[in-house]
Amino acid sequence: MTLDIDPNSLIHPRSYGAAGQPHEAWTQLRAQAPVWLCEPDNYPSFYAITRHADITDISGRPEVFSNSDGIAFLSLRQLEERKTGPSPLAQMRTIIEMDPPEHRDFRKVASGFFTPRSIGRLDAVVNECARQHVDKLGEEGECDFVELIAERHPLRVLATILGIGPDDEDLLLRLTQQLLASDDPDLQRKAENREQALAELGADLLKLFNRVLEDRRARPRDDLATIIAHAQMADGTPMPMLETLGYYLIVFTAGHDTTRNAISGGMAAFLEHPDQLARLGAAPELARPAVEEIVRWSSPVNYMKRRLREDVEMRGVRMREGEDLVMFYASANRDETVFERPFEFDISRHPNRHIGFGSGEHFCLGAHVARLSTRALFRELATRIEWIEPAGEAALTESNLVVGHKALPIRYKLRPAA
Ligand code: HEM
C-alpha cells in the first residue's frame, strides 16, 4: 500500500485549526511507516514517530534523545525570528529543556509539591471551584463553554496553588494564550511584526514573574510561588535566576492551558457521545477513569520534539546525530496494538495506558493537579446536566503543540446543586 499523506497536515497550525489532529494520516503511518521522514513546507524536515512503543522507548533514553534544544518544533520563520537578538524569553530556562543529570536536580525543587498526597490536600478547594464554575451556567441557557468554564476553572485552581490573586488571572490567561497559541490570528500577540510581538510578550511575562518573585522573597507564604522563589540546589546554593524564572514560565503557563484543552476536548467528546455523559451522571465514581479517557482522547499536548545526540536506527530507518524527531502522543493514544477499539470514547476504559502526560524522565509534573481539577469539574457537570447540545460551530485553535478548542458553544438545562 502507498501512503496518501499531506506532510503539512502533521505540523501546520492552520491545518490543526481547520481539520484538527490528523488521525487518518497517523493511522496510515503507524501501520506502514512508524518512523517517517516528514518534509513539510516552511518547516525543517523531521522524523514523525507515531507508535506508542517507540515513543515510550525514546522517552526512556534521554541521553540519546535530548530535550536541551527545546521541545517545540519551530517553523523556518520562527527559527529566523529567534536569531534577531536576545529576547526576554532567553532569561528563562525551563526544566523541560534540560537533560539528566541536571534535569533531575532541578525537577526535585518542585516534585515534592506535586505528589498525590500533597495535591490531595486541595480536594475540597478544587471541588468548590468546580461547583462555583458550574453555578455560573445558571439553570438553563447558552454559552461558550471554553470562555465560561474550560479556561477559567483550571486557571483558578492554578492561581490558588501559586497564590496569585484574581486580579492577575486575566493577565496570565492573555499572556499564556499569546505564548502557546502564537500562530492563531485570534489569540496571538499583535505588534508591528512577529519579532516585536515575541519581545513584548517576553517582557510582560518577565515583569509579572519578577513582581511575584520579589513579593515572595520579601513575604514568604504557603504557596508554590514561594517554594520556587526560595528553592535551593542540592549543595545548598539558591536556585539560579535563569532557572527560577524558567520554573515560573512553565508552571504559570502549562499549568492551566493544557488542562483547559483537556476539559474542552472532554466536553466536545461528551457532546458527540451523550450516552457516556449519562453513564457518568449515573455513576460519578467513573470520574477517575473518565478523566484518563478524556486525556487519551483529546491529547492536548500533541507532541514533544527530541534531538538525536548520536546516530540511531529505528524500524529500519537510519537517523543521524543532530536530526529532530517529533513524538506524536495523540497518535500513540490511538495505537491499535495498545488500545482495544482505539477510536471509541469509553469512560470506563480499562486498562488505559495512554501517554497524554508523556512518559519517563519528563513525565508531566502537574498530572495530579490536572486530574483533580478535570475530575471535579466533570463530576459536577455530569450530575447536574439535565440535557446539553451544541449551540453552533465549534472552533479549533491554530496551534500544533497545545491543541484544542478556542470556542465550544453549548445550550443546556441544569438541575440545582445538591
Ligand atoms: C491535562 C493537562 C496536562 C497535560 C495533557 C500535560 C501534558 C504534559 C506532557 C506531555 C509533558 C511532557 C512529558 C514528556 O516529555 O514525557 C508535560 C510536562 C510538564 N507538565 Fe504537564 N500536562 C498537563 C497539565 C499540567 C499542569 C496542571 C501542570 C502544573 C501545574 C503541568 C506542569 C508540567 C511540567 C512542569 C512539565 C515538565 C516536566 C519535566 O520536564 O520534568 N502540566 N506535561
Side-chain angles (χ1 to χ4, degrees), residues 57-67 69 99-100 306-314 319-323 325:
D57 172 32
I58 290 166
S59 304
R61 291 196 281 156
E63 62 295 342
V64 179
F65 302 96
S66 164
N67 282 39
D69 299 285
D99 292 324
R306 299 286 188 258
R307 182 160 289 173
L308 281 149
R309 285 279 165 265
E310 56 189 63
D311 294 359
V312 170
E313 187 168 326
M314 189 175 267
M319 301 183 283
R320 305 272 170 209
E321 180 185 345
E323 291 184 319
L325 48 81

Side-chain angles (χ1 to χ4, degrees), residues 175-363:
L175 296 180
T176 302
Q177 289 180 339
Q178 291 172 352
L179 182 73
L180 295 179
S182 65
D183 290 303
D184 190 294
D186 294 333
L187 303 175
Q188 68 189 186
R189 177 93 175 198
K190 306 287 184 294
E192 235 167 72
N193 54 48
R194 300 306 310 140
E195 288 88 333
Q196 188 64 23
L198 193 67
E200 286 176 14
L201 169 61
D204 280 358
L205 285 164
L206 207 53
K207 200 164 132 202
L208 169 65
F209 299 158
N210 275 320
R211 171 157 60 79
V212 177
L213 189 60
E214 275 169 28
D215 177 69
R216 297 308 194 278
R217 286 197 169 152
R219 287 173 290 279
R221 296 198 235 151
D222 180 20
D223 60 32
L224 179 59
T226 302
I227 293 177
I228 295 170
H230 290 266
Q232 290 186 344
M233 306 314 296
D235 62 5
T237 55
M239 179 158 68
M241 196 60 170
L242 188 68
E243 286 79 11
T244 302
L245 291 168
Y247 242 113
Y248 276 6
L249 179 64
I250 192 162
V251 174
F252 279 60
T253 57
H256 61 104
D257 199 56
T258 46
T259 314
R260 151 208 142 110
N261 284 293
I263 289 173
S264 52
M267 180 49 91
F270 282 126
L271 289 170
E272 270 180 48
H273 305 89
D275 57 313
Q276 297 297 310
L277 188 63
R279 275 181 85 193
L280 184 56
E285 66 280 8
L286 285 178
R288 219 171 259 276
V291 166
E292 300 311 313
E293 184 67 344
I294 286 168
V295 175
R296 181 187 80 87
W297 189 257
S298 57
S299 295
V301 176
N302 189 46
Y303 73 80
M304 288 277 141
K305 184 195 91 173
R306 299 286 188 258
R307 182 160 289 173
L308 281 149
R309 285 279 165 265
E310 56 189 63
D311 294 359
V312 170
E313 187 168 326
M314 189 175 267
R315 307 266 176 212
V317 177
R318 186 124 196 100
M319 301 183 283
R320 305 272 170 209
E321 180 185 345
E323 291 184 319
D324 286 339
L325 48 81
V326 172
M327 309 185 290
F328 287 106
Y329 297 123
S331 167
N333 285 340
R334 303 284 174 106
D335 188 328
E336 34 294 281
T337 64
V338 175
F339 301 98
E340 275 177 35
R341 304 165 283 105
F343 284 86
E344 224 172 88
F345 179 67
D346 173 3
I347 61 160
S348 61
R349 180 178 289 281
H350 180 80
N352 189 344
R353 295 198 298 117
H354 75 80
I355 48 172
F357 291 116
S359 154
E361 183 75 23
H362 290 273
F363 181 82

Side-chain angles (χ1 to χ4, degrees), residues 28-299:
Q28 285 186 58
L29 289 174
R30 284 193 303 276
Q32 298 179 52
V35 177
W36 185 58
L37 181 63
C38 182
E39 297 178 288
D41 301 329
N42 309 323
Y43 278 78
S45 54
F46 64 91
Y47 291 97
I49 312 293
T50 45
R51 283 195 191 162
H52 191 285
D54 294 341
I55 295 181
T56 45
D57 172 32
I58 290 166
S59 304
R61 291 196 281 156
E63 62 295 342
V64 179
F65 302 96
S66 164
N67 282 39
S68 58
D69 299 285
I71 46 79
F73 192 70
L74 302 179
S75 67
L76 295 171
R77 201 194 65 195
Q78 287 167 322
L79 288 167
E80 240 355 87
E81 280 165 18
R82 311 231 160 173
K83 280 190 204 148
T84 56
S87 142
L89 286 171
Q91 294 178 45
M92 310 174 216
R93 182 164 172 257
T94 66
I95 57 168
I96 207 160
E97 319 161 77
M98 297 179 193
D99 292 324
E102 183 192 40
H103 170 252
R104 289 177 195 163
D105 296 339
F106 282 98
R107 188 171 158 113
K108 270 194 210 125
V109 163
S111 54
F113 179 87
F114 284 106
T115 58
R117 180 193 271 205
S118 158
I119 297 306
R121 286 183 308 160
L122 298 168
D123 213 22
V125 178
V126 174
N127 286 340
E128 178 56 20
C129 181
R131 202 181 58 76
Q132 284 176 4
H133 279 88
V134 176
D135 281 348
K136 285 203 288 183
L137 290 168
E139 274 174 34
E140 60 181 300
E142 272 186 38
C143 75
D144 175 4
F145 181 75
V146 173
E147 198 184 336
L148 202 66
I149 309 256
E151 71 185 14
R152 287 290 165 180
H153 166 63
L155 179 64
R156 176 63 51 84
V157 170
L158 181 78
T160 309
I161 288 175
L162 287 170
I164 300 293
D167 290 353
D168 275 332
E169 282 183 27
D170 286 337
L171 173 67
L172 182 57
L173 181 62
R174 198 170 62 247
L175 296 180
T176 302
Q177 289 180 339
Q178 291 172 352
L179 182 73
L180 295 179
S182 65
D183 290 303
D184 190 294
D186 294 333
L187 303 175
Q188 68 189 186
R189 177 93 175 198
K190 306 287 184 294
E192 235 167 72
N193 54 48
R194 300 306 310 140
E195 288 88 333
Q196 188 64 23
L198 193 67
E200 286 176 14
L201 169 61
D204 280 358
L205 285 164
L206 207 53
K207 200 164 132 202
L208 169 65
F209 299 158
N210 275 320
R211 171 157 60 79
V212 177
L213 189 60
E214 275 169 28
D215 177 69
R216 297 308 194 278
R217 286 197 169 152
R219 287 173 290 279
R221 296 198 235 151
D222 180 20
D223 60 32
L224 179 59
T226 302
I227 293 177
I228 295 170
H230 290 266
Q232 290 186 344
M233 306 314 296
D235 62 5
T237 55
M239 179 158 68
M241 196 60 170
L242 188 68
E243 286 79 11
T244 302
L245 291 168
Y247 242 113
Y248 276 6
L249 179 64
I250 192 162
V251 174
F252 279 60
T253 57
H256 61 104
D257 199 56
T258 46
T259 314
R260 151 208 142 110
N261 284 293
I263 289 173
S264 52
M267 180 49 91
F270 282 126
L271 289 170
E272 270 180 48
H273 305 89
D275 57 313
Q276 297 297 310
L277 188 63
R279 275 181 85 193
L280 184 56
E285 66 280 8
L286 285 178
R288 219 171 259 276
V291 166
E292 300 311 313
E293 184 67 344
I294 286 168
V295 175
R296 181 187 80 87
W297 189 257
S298 57
S299 295

